[in-house]
Amino acid sequence: MLKIRFVFLFLIVFAFSLAGCTGKFNFLQDDGSLAKNTSPGAGEQHQDANIQVVSSPEVIPVLVNKRNKLPDHYQPNDLIYPDIPFTFKQKAEKRQMRSEAGSAIEKLFAGAKQQGVNLLGVSAYRSHASQTALFNYYVNQDGLEKARKYSAIPGTSEHETGLAIDVTGGDGKCAAEDCFEGTKEANWLQAHAAEYGFIIRYPKGKDSITGYQYEPWHLRYVGKAIAKEIMNRGITLEEYVNATVVNN
């Protein structure tokens, strides 16, 4: 029995090591106790010398990942509250998106509904302060090395761009969880997200490129032309950027 428990625990830890938007990661972000329980600015100390700061964080197809970070304390200046339903009622920070992306997600939700697919937002924008508080919390809970496996270092989370959003089905189940894969909603997003300028940011089988496991719920706005090329070719934003200068 002890051996079985050990194997089970190992599998759980391994799953978290690949996850970018797990339920654990999303649903703690509005917990006001996080900031109180972490040292101010501690997340700023956990920077990797190999991480480069992007030069043009405001461009729509900006690449933000484990090797490319936003400038310290970057905040989009065109955040809005898209008129879409979420899994929660309060007017929280994580309802926001940049203006262009917010307008596009409204159209995506409307288009899905016309085809009998109901969607809910789970988590969109996350401020640098929120990401720092989250990361510090996990460092305090699990230590730096473990925290870095499932939580993004401040500045390297796509949610800080205001261009990303996690979504789920209209019943609110499987929000940022593996069970979302294969659902009617996930299949619709895979087939139609690009029509509205979004990509499935972390595709299946691309873990070694994106650094994250398959997340069918994580949408990233890049604009229609780029989104269609990425989705049609079955590539990642990383692969697309290699051939196209973005941060010029």
Side-chain angles (χ1 to χ4, degrees), residues 156-174:
T156 68
S157 170
E158 275 215 327
H159 288 278
E160 293 180 67
T161 67
L163 298 168
I165 182 171
D166 299 330
V167 303
T168 193
D171 59 7
K173 297 179 180 179
C174 297

Side-chain angles (χ1 to χ4, degrees), residues 90-160:
Q90 65 270 34
K91 192 176 183 180
E93 169 188 276
K94 62 181 180 178
R95 279 182 175 266
Q96 295 178 296
M97 296 188 77
R98 287 186 58 184
S99 178
E100 185 176 334
S103 176
I105 200 65
E106 290 177 349
K107 293 172 182 173
L108 183 149
F109 270 50
K113 191 170 184 178
Q114 287 179 355
Q115 296 184 37
V117 175
N118 294 314
L119 299 170
L120 292 173
V122 176
S123 179
Y125 174 67
R126 187 181 301 136
S127 69
H128 185 83
S130 292
Q131 186 64 35
T132 300
L134 264 177
F135 188 76
N136 292 345
Y137 173 82
Y138 291 133
V139 169
N140 289 341
Q141 290 289 107
D142 298 330
L144 175 59
E145 290 309 310
K146 285 186 178 180
R148 289 180 63 170
K149 291 179 179 179
Y150 62 79
S151 179
I153 291 175
T156 68
S157 170
E158 275 215 327
H159 288 278
E160 293 180 67

Side-chain angles (χ1 to χ4, degrees), residues 222-244:
V222 292
K224 290 182 181 180
I226 295 176
K228 289 177 180 178
E229 181 173 350
I230 287 176
M231 295 297 283
N232 288 339
R233 292 174 58 192
I235 61 174
T236 64
L237 183 57
E238 282 83 0
E239 292 168 298
Y240 176 83
V241 170
N242 279 341
T244 304

Side-chain angles (χ1 to χ4, degrees), residues 10-11 52 78 88 111 121 138 144 184 220 230 232 235 243:
F10 173 80
L11 291 174
Q52 298 186 0
D78 58 347
F88 53 92
Y138 291 133
L144 175 59
K184 177 175 69 173
R220 164 63 196 275
I230 287 176
N232 288 339
I235 61 174

Side-chain angles (χ1 to χ4, degrees), residues 105 108-109 112 117 119 166-169 180 183-196 198-200 216-219 231:
I105 200 65
L108 183 149
F109 270 50
V117 175
L119 299 170
D166 299 330
V167 303
T168 193
F180 185 63
T183 61
K184 177 175 69 173
E185 295 84 2
N187 292 337
W188 187 91
L189 290 170
Q190 180 69 39
H192 299 285
E195 298 169 13
Y196 301 90
F198 290 90
I199 60 173
I200 306 299
W217 59 82
H218 182 103
L219 302 179
M231 295 297 283

